[in-house]
Amino acid sequence: MAFLDSLLDRLGVLPPGQVLLVAAAVLAAEVGLLVGVVLPAASTMLAVGLLARAGELDLGVALAVTTLAAFAGDQLGYWEGRLLGPRVRNGRVGRWIGAARWRRAEALIATRGGTAVLVGRWTAFARTLVPRVAGMAGLPYRRFLLFDAPAVAVWVPGTVLLGWAVGAVPAGLPAAGVAFVAAVAVAVGLPRVRRRRSAGRRCPRPARRPRGLTGRVPGSRRPGAAHGAPTRRGPPTVPDRSRPFSRSRRPTRLRTPVRR
């Protein structure tokens, strides 16, 4: 990919400390600032992994710096939505993002709650909007932290290690092309897996009664039902017909004999 190659050329001329500083700033601003939706965070992490494979960066330090920066950006986004509320959405940048993306993020939080923080980390725009929407919706911070920490701990090191693994590909193969194909495969495959899992959890529809059959469904407890009516144990109760039937619901008063 030409963009990743140009990014590698720009970062490769910088000292290791500045490379990590630039990568940390990009990852923190992607979620911490609303304008971060246009920042190439995934490409930056792939470039960091490639540079670590080339020996220009220490892999352990790179993993720690990028993970902490992404985690800090999520916290900034959450508290911005918690403190500012709908003003984040109604601002100039919020209107530029579009109402449709905001509605999708809100629907994700409304239907999945804390799980949306975990799922939204794997989507570009949702990664920036979901923490803010979670804060605006009043999602408890402990619950947000419970789902956000594992999401960052998997997504950031996984992307950096993907670039590090691609760096081991022989020189005859385009490393950037392999990284791009792998990233696209992950981005396309995960939503399909989630849809299949959600479709498998749906309850099957009740079987329809064939046409031409009459009568009640077996198992009905109403009197006069089909063979499914439960049998009563004990002798049948016989109504008392000694008293005349009265439609009044009031209790009958007993008359005392009149003394003469």
Side-chain angles (χ1 to χ4, degrees):
M1 190 176 179
F3 178 77
L4 185 58
D5 293 337
S6 62
L7 185 61
L8 282 172
D9 294 338
R10 294 180 181 180
L11 294 178
V13 298
L14 298 176
Q18 294 185 11
V19 172
L20 293 178
L21 184 61
V22 170
V26 170
L27 289 175
E30 185 196 20
V31 182
L33 300 177
L34 197 56
V35 295
V37 293
V38 298
L39 294 177
S43 301
T44 302
M45 287 184 293
L46 290 174
V48 168
L50 290 171
L51 292 175
R53 186 72 187 191
E56 300 183 15
L57 295 176
D58 183 80
L59 181 60
V61 177
L63 290 174
V65 170
T66 52
T67 303
L68 291 176
F71 181 77
D74 287 0
Q75 312 315 304
L76 291 176
Y78 173 85
W79 285 110
E80 182 182 0
R82 189 69 177 268
L83 298 176
L84 299 181
R87 287 181 290 179
V88 178
R89 178 177 179 176
N90 299 330
R92 184 175 180 180
V93 181
R95 292 194 303 269
W96 173 78
I97 290 175
R101 293 190 177 96
W102 284 105
R103 283 195 299 267
R104 280 196 290 263
E106 291 172 354
L108 195 62
I109 290 292
T111 55
R112 300 196 178 187
T115 313
V117 180
L118 184 64
V119 176
R121 169 52 65 174
W122 302 89
T123 310
F125 274 90
R127 189 162 53 244
T128 303
L129 300 182
V130 164
R132 286 174 172 78
V133 174
M136 288 163 44
L139 186 71
Y141 181 67
R142 291 183 179 179
R143 186 170 180 80
F144 172 80
L145 198 62
L146 178 65
F147 287 93
D148 182 66
V152 173
V154 172
W155 182 72
V156 177
T159 310
V160 174
L161 290 176
L162 178 62
W164 182 82
V166 168
V169 176
L173 297 177
V178 175
F180 177 72
V181 172
V184 171
V186 172
V188 174
L190 282 178
R192 291 185 177 181
V193 172
R194 290 197 299 266
R195 284 197 296 268
R196 290 180 180 178
R197 292 181 61 184
S198 60
R201 293 177 182 176
R202 295 177 182 175
C203 297
R205 295 183 178 179
R208 296 182 178 179
R209 186 190 305 175
R211 296 183 179 179
L213 296 180
T214 57
R216 296 189 178 275
V217 180
S220 175
R221 294 190 177 183
R222 295 184 179 179
H227 300 285
T231 57
R232 298 181 179 179
R233 298 180 180 179
T237 57
V238 180
D240 187 7
R241 302 182 182 279
S242 59
R243 295 182 181 181
F245 177 75
S246 176
R247 296 183 179 179
S248 175
R249 297 182 180 179
R250 298 180 180 179
T252 306
R253 297 181 180 180
L254 298 178
R255 297 183 180 180
T256 56
V258 180
R259 299 181 180 180
R260 297 182 179 178

